[in-house]
Amino acid sequence: MLKNGESTYFPVSYPLNTSGGSGVRITGLVVTPPDETHSVTLAWPGAASLPVTDGSGSSVEVGPIGSAGQGG
């Protein structure tokens, strides 16, 4: 559990929009921490848009808290 003022991290992987189209504009992530009932909105850390697909492309994936750069 994080105490007030502490921080953590988590990886976000996403496909690049190389389609040449405008894609879907992303501005933020709504995150609900484990064992919490209130969500927070975080700035989107990546490119301004994601490609539009028929579901066959790569998806946005959010990894476990504390796993960024650790292969998790």
Side-chain angles (χ1 to χ4, degrees):
M1 175 180 275
L2 291 175
K3 293 181 174 46
N4 192 21
E6 292 182 325
S7 62
T8 191
Y9 48 88
F10 54 90
V12 176
S13 61
Y14 55 92
L16 295 176
N17 184 10
T18 58
S19 68
S22 61
V24 177
R25 181 145 174 77
I26 305 295
T27 59
L29 294 171
V30 178
V31 178
T32 305
D35 301 322
E36 293 291 331
T37 57
H38 293 90
S39 299
V40 295
T41 301
L42 305 174
W44 175 249
S49 70
L50 297 176
V52 176
T53 71
D54 60 3
S56 63
S58 299
S59 61
V60 174
E61 295 183 15
V62 178
I65 291 176
S67 66
Q70 299 175 10

